[in-house]
Amino acid sequence: MLRFLTRRVLAGLAILLVASFLYYLMINAVIDPLEDLRFNTDPDTPQKIAQRISDLRLDESVFVRYLSWLGNFVTGDMGISWPTGQTVTSMLQGAIIATIQLLTMSTILAIFLGVAVGVVSALRQYSSFDYLITFVSFLLFSLPSFWVAVLLKQWGAIGYNDFLRDPVISTAVLIGIGIVAGLVWTLAIGGDVRRRVIVFASGFAATFGVFLYLQLSGWWLTPRIDLGMLVLIGAATALAVTAISTGLRNRRSLGAAFTSVGVGLLFFVLLNYGGGWGALTPSMTWGMLILLGVVSAAIGVGVGYAWGGPDRGQSARTAAIVSVLMAVYIAVDRMMQAWPAYSDALSGRPIATTGNRTPNLGGNFWITALDTYTHLILPTLVLLLVSFASYTRYSRASMLETMNQDYIRTARAKGLNERTVIMRHAFRNTLIPLATIVPVDIITLLGGALITERIFGRPGMGSMFLTGLDMNDINPVMAYLMIVAALAIVANIVADLVYTVLDPRIRVNA
């Protein structure tokens, strides 16, 4: 392992060195730092040109300037942006945070939803659901991101903010939403006529009931996950996670999952009705919130092992996942409680169309966190829709190939149930091709975020890159390109390591 990492890191450094030289030559050829002065008619323009040539060392050879830049870069000095006088390092600090926030949410959601839908589509090959997902995937993949961004600005922000003035959905629309949801679930699950009718009726009733409850309770203006709603969501989570993780026939695993739900409900009551959040809020930070998530996972593991049995590990895994999700629900509920105050501070128009935060917005941790996520909603959706289409197609193709392998037929011949065949044998091998695609795609999103960040006015890496090009400033552009190149190399190394986790037959030193 150490030899492999050493060899790959050294090769990566060599690639970075060559790439940096080519980058510097190409950027130097396309930018003109004197562009704004060439047609200036001020009397002191020649002096300004001479001064800028001296400051930027434009009278020296490009090779000499590259070597000087490389020496500074190796020591951690990425130079200064000459139009603003700001160091590139300080510019990167805010830009990287803004980009990571955007890519983290969009990538996690795209992978989870895309892989799940792609696997279901493969299992329902040539069904109406499969054809529908194929059509939607190709449609989303072909849509230009800037056009989707404009539509989301109009209907996802301006339209929703207008809706909040009088948040009433007509009965006809509610029925239409229920019918669409029932049809989607029917196509996804399939079965005989009786099963399809039951699934459609259940999907329609559940969707119609949820939206009707949201409307009658005034949820759109005062959103919350109250105790009753958390009980239903927690029970559904326990059933779903257990069904996927071990199967509902594993009673110990199912019991551990519901025990984790009970522990989560206990903490919910203590935090909301025992004054817990009031004591934690003044000192709450993102680090503390992550720590609480780790503690919840540890509690779930303990619950799983407490249930005992020969498969304690499976029960612990299931209970830990349920416990973490319950913690997420509780944190989201606390953040939702800040919604009325946040909406009032923004004159009843809380969904933002530009920027990454509201200027001069006061409030506690939950207000600022809510502000961050309202600014992330639209750009996240843009990147999510494009990535979702890709992951759906990749996972579908990989699952179809895996399901036709001999070892799948052998597993079925041994009498294993279909859930075990799919989750333990097929799904893990389906992820192997995705191990190459996902790390590299994350780096590719940095390039795709150029357009998204510019449209939504987010001060991220893409905006810094485009601003550097517009202002003929080489240092920020080089910093962006070098970071992207380094991350691309790291992504390929990570992909090789993930191979060994998914497939024990693969050795990194082979």
Side-chain angles (χ1 to χ4, degrees):
M1 175 69 75
L2 183 60
R3 288 179 56 191
F4 167 78
L5 291 177
T6 302
R7 185 169 64 248
R8 292 297 300 271
V9 169
L10 292 177
L13 291 175
I15 294 173
L16 275 180
L17 180 62
V18 175
S20 66
F21 178 66
L22 297 177
Y23 286 155
Y24 200 93
L25 291 182
M26 290 188 291
I27 297 170
N28 181 76
V30 299
I31 69 172
D32 182 11
L34 304 176
E35 182 181 12
D36 60 319
L37 297 176
R38 292 194 184 279
F39 302 102
N40 197 320
T41 58
D42 293 342
D44 60 344
T45 296
Q47 290 80 6
K48 291 181 179 179
I49 292 177
Q51 182 63 44
R52 187 172 296 179
I53 290 176
S54 175
D55 293 340
L56 302 181
R57 301 170 59 181
L58 299 179
D59 54 341
E60 298 180 3
S61 169
V62 63
F63 302 103
V64 174
R65 282 185 280 129
Y66 166 73
L67 292 176
S68 176
W69 172 87
L70 182 63
N72 293 331
F73 180 80
V74 171
T75 60
D77 181 9
M78 297 188 182
I80 297 176
S81 173
W82 64 264
T84 63
Q86 188 178 5
T87 63
V88 176
T89 303
S90 63
M91 296 170 61
L92 282 173
Q93 291 176 353
I96 289 177
I97 292 175
T99 298
I100 288 178
Q101 287 177 341
L102 176 59
L103 295 184
T104 300
M105 293 189 65
S106 62
T107 302
I108 292 176
L109 291 174
I111 292 173
F112 177 78
L113 295 176
V115 171
V117 173
V119 168
V120 175
S121 179
L123 297 176
R124 302 271 298 136
Q125 186 182 17
Y126 302 135
S127 66
S128 300
F129 179 79
D130 186 29
Y131 289 128
L132 175 63
I133 294 300
T134 300
F135 171 75
V136 172
S137 298
F138 281 113
L139 177 64
L140 293 177
F141 192 78
S142 62
L143 293 178
S145 59
F146 63 87
W147 185 69
V148 176
V150 173
L151 290 181
L152 285 176
K153 272 192 172 187
Q154 177 63 40
W155 302 107
I158 298 174
Y160 184 77
N161 288 333
D162 292 339
F163 165 76
L164 290 180
R165 294 178 180 176
D166 184 22
V168 176
I169 304 177
S170 65
T171 304
V173 174
L174 291 178
I175 294 174
I177 295 174
I179 292 174
V180 171
L183 289 174
V184 171
W185 281 110
T186 302
L187 295 176
I189 296 178
D192 54 22
V193 176
R194 180 175 178 274
R195 185 179 183 182
R196 288 173 180 267
V197 171
I198 293 175
V199 171
F200 175 81
S202 301
F204 172 83
T207 305
F208 182 84
V210 168
F211 275 89
L212 185 62
Y213 169 79
L214 296 180
Q215 179 160 302
L216 295 178
S217 63
W219 191 90
W220 304 110
L221 297 178
T222 57
R224 275 213 63 181
I225 302 177
D226 54 28
L227 183 60
M229 189 181 297
L230 186 61
V231 170
L232 295 176
I233 296 175
T237 300
L239 291 172
V241 172
T242 305
I244 295 173
S245 178
T246 62
L248 296 178
R249 293 183 179 180
N250 190 326
R251 299 304 180 186
R252 293 182 184 273
S253 181
L254 183 61
F258 273 99
T259 302
S260 293
V261 173
V263 173
L265 293 174
L266 176 62
F267 275 99
F268 177 84
V269 172
L270 293 175
L271 289 171
N272 285 277
Y273 305 106
W277 281 129
L280 291 175
T281 294
S283 59
M284 182 62 68
T285 61
W286 284 111
M288 187 174 177
L289 205 59
I290 293 174
L291 178 62
L292 292 176
V294 174
V295 172
S296 67
I299 293 175
V301 171
V303 168
Y305 277 99
W307 271 83
D311 51 358
R312 293 182 177 181
Q314 296 181 6
S315 299
R317 177 187 62 201
T318 304
I321 295 173
V322 173
S323 184
V324 170
L325 291 176
M326 289 295 293
V328 171
Y329 301 151
I330 294 171
V332 169
D333 171 70
R334 179 60 187 87
M335 193 178 298
M336 285 180 174
Q337 294 178 34
W339 180 266
Y342 176 71
S343 181
D344 291 341
L346 297 179
S347 303
R349 304 189 69 83
I351 305 301
T353 59
T354 185
N356 65 335
R357 63 173 59 92
T358 302
N360 303 319
L361 178 68
N364 57 27
F365 168 81
W366 303 106
I367 294 288
T368 57
L370 190 59
D371 183 60
T372 299
Y373 284 109
T374 54
H375 284 81
L376 278 172
I377 290 175
L378 298 185
T380 297
L381 283 176
V382 173
L383 297 180
L384 168 63
L385 292 176
V386 177
S387 300
F388 167 81
S390 301
Y391 291 138
T392 299
R393 303 312 300 162
Y394 289 138
S395 58
R396 179 185 181 276
S398 182
M399 190 68 175
L400 286 175
E401 181 180 359
T402 302
M403 293 299 290
N404 291 323
Q405 298 298 317
D406 291 338
Y407 61 85
I408 298 296
R409 286 191 288 270
T410 302
R412 285 171 171 162
K414 287 164 58 178
L416 297 178
N417 60 60
E418 193 66 12
R419 192 209 66 83
T420 302
V421 171
I422 294 172
M423 297 306 300
R424 292 193 180 182
H425 295 273
F427 182 67
R428 184 170 181 173
N429 290 284
T430 297
L431 296 178
I432 294 178
L434 293 175
T436 301
I437 297 166
V438 171
V440 176
D441 193 49
I442 293 174
I443 307 307
T444 305
L445 278 177
L446 284 171
L450 291 172
I451 299 174
T452 304
E453 289 181 355
R454 173 57 66 94
I455 292 175
F456 290 103
R458 291 189 61 83
M461 294 283 290
S463 295
M464 187 189 75
F465 172 76
L466 293 176
T467 301
L469 285 180
D470 291 340
M471 303 181 70
N472 296 298
D473 189 5
I474 193 172
N475 287 331
V477 177
M478 282 297 298
Y480 170 85
L481 293 175
M482 292 300 293
I483 290 175
V484 172
L487 290 177
I489 293 172
V490 172
N492 281 278
I493 297 176
V494 170
D496 290 338
L497 296 177
V498 173
Y499 285 155
T500 64
V501 175
L502 296 175
D503 191 346
R505 297 172 299 177
I506 299 176
R507 294 291 181 267
V508 293
N509 289 325

